[in-house]
Amino acid sequence: MDVLHAAGVRFAAVLQTGPPWLEKFWISVTSLADPKCIFTVCFPLAYFLDRKVGVSVLWIGLVSEWLNVVLKWFLFGERPFWWVHESGLASKEPILLRQFPVSCETGPGDPSGHCMITGAALWPLVTALTALASQHSRSLLVKLTPFCAYALLLLAVGLSRVFVLAHFPHQVVGGILAGAALGWGLQDRTPVARSAGFFMATALALLLSSLGLHSLLMATGIDIDW
């Protein structure tokens, strides 16, 4: 893993050598793609456009947020900002890295939550836009535009997370693949007919199960807060 981590740090160093305007772009992307935006921005907009799509965004965002936390506890995953010093790589070779206000994230980093949760929750919105485009145009380019935009967005989010030293490239790739798979798998299993109380109860159940799993892992001697 050290070889993979070292390659990821070098890739981040190359990304950080870009022009100042590109730096502002990466910072903006990583801030706007924060998972909480799924609940505060994407869900209300999707719900306003189509109730079923909105509920799917909320449901998949809820499940993917929980699953990302659980996966991080089992996969652990270093953070580049901390690893480059703890591994001794910074003292072995001259690597010029910059720190940003969003660099010092703590906790396990695998898979990337930004990529996984965004990729999963936006899947129903993208498929709905693709279906809408197919109804109004026979052009393959028009039909593929939503998915192309989706792919470019996830690529930008992933690169931004590497840029700010929050994740290694392989953690970003894992997050994107997990998010797309989760969105595809859960879209047709969204409990659309359920009331708001069901979603509140589900959120509470997921929260309590996370706390229980956390306590169980700590009790068995696994320090997931390392």
Side-chain angles (χ1 to χ4, degrees):
M1 288 301 293
D2 284 349
V3 175
L4 190 61
H5 289 155
V9 168
R10 296 187 187 101
F11 178 69
V14 172
L15 275 181
Q16 290 189 354
T17 59
W21 67 266
L22 193 55
E23 174 184 323
K24 294 179 181 179
F25 173 75
W26 294 133
I27 297 296
S28 299
V29 169
T30 200
S31 299
L32 294 174
D34 189 284
K36 67 175 177 288
C37 292
I38 294 297
F39 303 99
T40 59
V41 179
C42 296
F43 161 63
L45 288 176
Y47 191 87
F48 174 77
L49 295 173
D50 185 277
R51 181 183 181 278
K52 182 178 179 180
V53 176
V55 173
S56 293
V57 170
L58 176 64
W59 175 251
I60 296 174
L62 183 68
V63 175
S64 60
E65 180 84 49
W66 173 81
L67 186 59
N68 181 255
V69 172
V70 174
L71 286 176
K72 283 180 176 178
W73 285 346
F74 284 97
L75 297 178
F76 290 101
E78 300 278 357
R79 298 274 188 174
F81 178 78
W82 308 106
W83 180 87
V84 70
H85 298 289
E86 294 174 350
S87 65
L89 181 65
S91 60
K92 294 177 182 177
E93 58 180 272
I95 298 180
L96 183 60
L97 295 171
R98 286 177 291 156
Q99 176 184 349
F100 304 95
V102 291
S103 293
C104 306
E105 292 196 26
T106 58
D110 194 15
S112 166
H114 277 63
C115 294
M116 179 176 172
I117 299 166
T118 300
L122 290 185
W123 183 271
L125 183 58
V126 170
T127 54
L129 291 175
T130 301
L132 184 63
S134 299
Q135 293 175 3
H136 293 82
S137 176
R138 295 182 179 180
S139 171
L140 180 61
L141 179 61
V142 174
K143 294 178 181 179
L144 292 178
T145 296
F147 271 103
C148 289
Y150 172 79
L152 289 175
L153 172 64
L154 290 182
L155 177 62
V157 173
L159 290 175
S160 74
R161 300 304 288 160
V162 175
F163 179 85
V164 299
L165 303 179
H167 290 287
F168 291 99
H170 70 276
Q171 297 172 345
V172 163
V173 173
I176 292 175
L177 294 178
L182 195 60
W184 174 80
L186 290 179
Q187 181 177 2
D188 294 332
R189 296 174 175 82
T190 301
V192 180
R194 296 284 189 167
S195 65
F198 168 81
F199 292 97
M200 293 178 65
T202 302
L204 180 61
L206 293 177
L207 173 61
L208 293 177
S209 66
S210 299
L211 294 175
L213 179 60
H214 182 281
S215 300
L216 179 62
L217 291 174
M218 295 293 285
T220 58
I222 302 175
D223 184 10
I224 57 178
D225 294 325
W226 60 276

Short mmCIF file of all heavy atoms in Angstrom, two decimals, residues 126 130 140-156:
data_model
loop_
_atom_site.label_atom_id
_atom_site.label_comp_id
_atom_site.label_asym_id
_atom_site.label_seq_id
_atom_site.Cartn_x
_atom_site.Cartn_y
_atom_site.Cartn_z
N VAL A 126 -30.03 11.75 -12.64
CA VAL A 126 -29.42 11.62 -13.97
C VAL A 126 -30.25 10.72 -14.88
O VAL A 126 -30.47 11.04 -16.06
CB VAL A 126 -27.98 11.08 -13.84
CG1 VAL A 126 -27.41 10.72 -15.20
CG2 VAL A 126 -27.09 12.09 -13.15
N THR A 130 -32.11 11.75 -18.31
CA THR A 130 -31.85 10.99 -19.54
C THR A 130 -33.15 10.55 -20.19
O THR A 130 -33.31 10.63 -21.42
CB THR A 130 -30.98 9.75 -19.23
OG1 THR A 130 -29.74 10.18 -18.64
CG2 THR A 130 -30.69 8.97 -20.50
N LEU A 140 -28.44 10.98 -30.14
CA LEU A 140 -27.73 10.20 -29.13
C LEU A 140 -26.93 11.11 -28.22
O LEU A 140 -26.81 10.85 -27.01
CB LEU A 140 -26.80 9.18 -29.82
CG LEU A 140 -25.99 8.27 -28.90
CD1 LEU A 140 -26.91 7.42 -28.04
CD2 LEU A 140 -25.05 7.39 -29.72
N LEU A 141 -26.38 12.19 -28.79
CA LEU A 141 -25.59 13.13 -28.00
C LEU A 141 -26.44 13.78 -26.91
O LEU A 141 -26.01 13.90 -25.76
CB LEU A 141 -25.00 14.20 -28.91
CG LEU A 141 -24.15 15.28 -28.22
CD1 LEU A 141 -22.95 14.65 -27.51
CD2 LEU A 141 -23.70 16.33 -29.22
N VAL A 142 -27.66 14.17 -27.27
CA VAL A 142 -28.56 14.79 -26.29
C VAL A 142 -28.95 13.78 -25.21
O VAL A 142 -29.01 14.11 -24.02
CB VAL A 142 -29.82 15.33 -26.99
CG1 VAL A 142 -30.84 15.83 -25.97
CG2 VAL A 142 -29.45 16.45 -27.96
N LYS A 143 -29.19 12.55 -25.63
CA LYS A 143 -29.58 11.51 -24.67
C LYS A 143 -28.47 11.21 -23.68
O LYS A 143 -28.72 10.89 -22.51
CB LYS A 143 -29.97 10.24 -25.41
CG LYS A 143 -31.22 10.36 -26.27
CD LYS A 143 -31.49 9.07 -27.01
CE LYS A 143 -32.73 9.18 -27.90
NZ LYS A 143 -32.99 7.93 -28.64
N LEU A 144 -27.22 11.28 -24.14
CA LEU A 144 -26.08 10.94 -23.29
C LEU A 144 -25.58 12.13 -22.47
O LEU A 144 -24.73 11.95 -21.60
CB LEU A 144 -24.94 10.40 -24.14
CG LEU A 144 -25.17 9.03 -24.80
CD1 LEU A 144 -23.97 8.64 -25.64
CD2 LEU A 144 -25.45 7.96 -23.75
N THR A 145 -26.09 13.32 -22.75
CA THR A 145 -25.59 14.52 -22.06
C THR A 145 -25.70 14.42 -20.54
O THR A 145 -24.74 14.77 -19.83
CB THR A 145 -26.34 15.77 -22.57
OG1 THR A 145 -26.04 15.96 -23.96
CG2 THR A 145 -25.91 17.01 -21.79
N PRO A 146 -26.84 13.98 -19.97
CA PRO A 146 -26.90 13.89 -18.50
C PRO A 146 -25.84 12.97 -17.90
O PRO A 146 -25.23 13.30 -16.88
CB PRO A 146 -28.31 13.35 -18.25
CG PRO A 146 -29.10 13.78 -19.43
CD PRO A 146 -28.15 13.68 -20.58
N PHE A 147 -25.61 11.82 -18.52
CA PHE A 147 -24.61 10.89 -17.98
C PHE A 147 -23.19 11.41 -18.19
O PHE A 147 -22.31 11.18 -17.36
CB PHE A 147 -24.77 9.51 -18.61
CG PHE A 147 -25.72 8.62 -17.87
CD1 PHE A 147 -27.01 8.41 -18.35
CD2 PHE A 147 -25.36 8.02 -16.67
CE1 PHE A 147 -27.91 7.61 -17.66
CE2 PHE A 147 -26.25 7.21 -15.98
CZ PHE A 147 -27.53 7.01 -16.47
N CYS A 148 -22.98 12.12 -19.30
CA CYS A 148 -21.66 12.73 -19.51
C CYS A 148 -21.38 13.79 -18.45
O CYS A 148 -20.27 13.88 -17.92
CB CYS A 148 -21.58 13.35 -20.91
SG CYS A 148 -21.54 12.14 -22.25
N ALA A 149 -22.41 14.60 -18.16
CA ALA A 149 -22.27 15.62 -17.12
C ALA A 149 -22.03 14.97 -15.75
O ALA A 149 -21.23 15.46 -14.94
CB ALA A 149 -23.52 16.49 -17.08
N TYR A 150 -22.73 13.87 -15.50
CA TYR A 150 -22.58 13.11 -14.25
C TYR A 150 -21.15 12.59 -14.11
O TYR A 150 -20.52 12.72 -13.06
CB TYR A 150 -23.58 11.96 -14.28
CG TYR A 150 -23.46 10.93 -13.18
CD1 TYR A 150 -23.97 11.18 -11.91
CD2 TYR A 150 -22.88 9.69 -13.44
CE1 TYR A 150 -23.89 10.22 -10.91
CE2 TYR A 150 -22.81 8.72 -12.45
CZ TYR A 150 -23.31 8.99 -11.18
OH TYR A 150 -23.23 8.02 -10.20
N ALA A 151 -20.61 12.02 -15.19
CA ALA A 151 -19.25 11.48 -15.17
C ALA A 151 -18.22 12.59 -14.98
O ALA A 151 -17.26 12.44 -14.20
CB ALA A 151 -18.97 10.71 -16.46
N LEU A 152 -18.41 13.70 -15.66
CA LEU A 152 -17.47 14.82 -15.54
C LEU A 152 -17.52 15.42 -14.13
O LEU A 152 -16.49 15.82 -13.58
CB LEU A 152 -17.79 15.89 -16.58
CG LEU A 152 -17.47 15.54 -18.04
CD1 LEU A 152 -17.95 16.64 -18.97
CD2 LEU A 152 -15.96 15.31 -18.21
N LEU A 153 -18.72 15.48 -13.57
CA LEU A 153 -18.86 16.00 -12.21
C LEU A 153 -18.11 15.13 -11.21
O LEU A 153 -17.36 15.64 -10.37
CB LEU A 153 -20.34 16.09 -11.83
CG LEU A 153 -20.63 16.45 -10.36
CD1 LEU A 153 -20.12 17.86 -10.06
CD2 LEU A 153 -22.12 16.35 -10.05
N LEU A 154 -18.30 13.81 -11.30
CA LEU A 154 -17.62 12.91 -10.37
C LEU A 154 -16.10 12.95 -10.57
O LEU A 154 -15.34 12.85 -9.60
CB LEU A 154 -18.14 11.48 -10.55
CG LEU A 154 -19.58 11.23 -10.09
CD1 LEU A 154 -19.95 9.77 -10.29
CD2 LEU A 154 -19.77 11.64 -8.64
N LEU A 155 -15.67 13.09 -11.82
CA LEU A 155 -14.23 13.22 -12.09
C LEU A 155 -13.69 14.48 -11.44
O LEU A 155 -12.62 14.45 -10.80
CB LEU A 155 -13.99 13.25 -13.59
CG LEU A 155 -12.53 13.45 -14.04
CD1 LEU A 155 -11.65 12.31 -13.54
CD2 LEU A 155 -12.45 13.59 -15.55
N ALA A 156 -14.42 15.58 -11.57
CA ALA A 156 -13.98 16.84 -10.98
C ALA A 156 -13.96 16.76 -9.45
O ALA A 156 -13.02 17.23 -8.80
CB ALA A 156 -14.89 17.98 -11.43
#
